[in-house]
Amino acid sequence: MSSTPPRDPSSARPEPKVAYWRQNLIVIGILLFIWALVSFGCSILWIEWLNQYKIGNLPLGFWFAQQGSMYVFLVLILVYALVMDYLDRKHDVKE
């Protein structure tokens, strides 16, 4: 007879998974950095330099302040959803 206690199924898969959350925080940090860079940098800090270029009839700095930051934000949301879907599958995390 074996004296080993039966394995607890919950110990085989610790929640939350450390690697999953580490990668999740890295993704969030990178995307927040890009969002801050575009929304604050391109719309406020570098607006004078960007205004020497034009999109149509609008200066590029003005365009970023009015529309470009929103477009970048929408792209970042899409990127986040795709990357998190990949990470969920990679780490076998189900909702």
Side-chain angles (χ1 to χ4, degrees), residues 2-48:
S2 170
S3 64
T4 9
R7 289 179 45 129
D8 182 18
S10 63
S11 66
R13 185 172 179 248
E15 287 294 331
K17 291 184 176 183
V18 177
Y20 171 76
W21 284 108
R22 184 178 304 124
Q23 290 179 342
N24 186 1
L25 292 176
I26 289 171
V27 169
I28 291 172
I30 291 170
L31 294 178
L32 282 175
F33 176 75
I34 293 170
W35 181 41
L37 190 69
V38 170
S39 64
F40 186 69
C42 294
S43 301
I44 297 171
L45 296 177
W46 307 304
I47 193 166
E48 298 296 328

Side-chain angles (χ1 to χ4, degrees), residues 29-30 54 63 67 95:
I30 291 170
K54 292 190 182 284
W63 183 83
Q67 297 175 8
E95 294 182 30

